[in-house]
Amino acid sequence: MSRLFRRSILLALLIAFVLSFVSVQSPTQAAAQITAKVLVYKLNVRASDTVKAAKVGELARGAVVTIIGRDKRSLWLKVQTAGLSGWVRTSFVHISGSKLSIIPIVS
C-alpha cells in the first residue's frame, strides 16, 4: 500500500473515532432536558394555553417540571411532571437550561 493511502485510512479512522463522541440532539430531545421551577405559591396547570381552559392540576412553589414546548407568543409553556401534563404561564416559572426563544413551539 502506498504511504498516502495508509495516511488517508488513518485519517478516516481518526475522524470516525472523534465523531463517535459527538451527540446530536433534535429540538424535541433538547426540550425534554429543559426544566422550570415554579415561582408562585400555587400554580394552576391547564389543559390548553388559555386561562379559560380546564384546570388539570396545580403545582406548589419550588416544584420542578420538564418543559415540552411553548406557544407561539411564548406566554405559555407545555410542561410535564410525574403524573401531570399541561400548560402553565411562562411568567410564573423560572426556566433552567435554555432560553425561552429556542424552546420549540408546540400546539
Side-chain angles (χ1 to χ4, degrees), residues 4-5 7-8 12 18 28 30 39 43 45 52 55 62 64 66 68-70 72 79-80 89 94 98 101 103:
L4 180 61
F5 181 71
R7 284 187 179 173
S8 297
V18 170
T28 304
L39 300 174
L43 179 60
V45 180
K52 294 180 181 180
K55 180 178 155 184
V64 177
T66 301
I68 306 304
R70 64 181 169 96
K72 289 180 185 178
V79 299
Q80 177 179 314
R89 284 292 294 214
H94 177 270
S98 181
S101 60
I103 296 171

Side-chain angles (χ1 to χ4, degrees), residues 38 41-46 55-60 63 81 84:
V38 176
Y41 177 72
K42 191 182 343 177
L43 179 60
N44 290 329
V45 180
R46 302 277 179 182
K55 180 178 155 184
V56 295
E58 59 187 34
L59 299 166
T81 189
L84 183 62

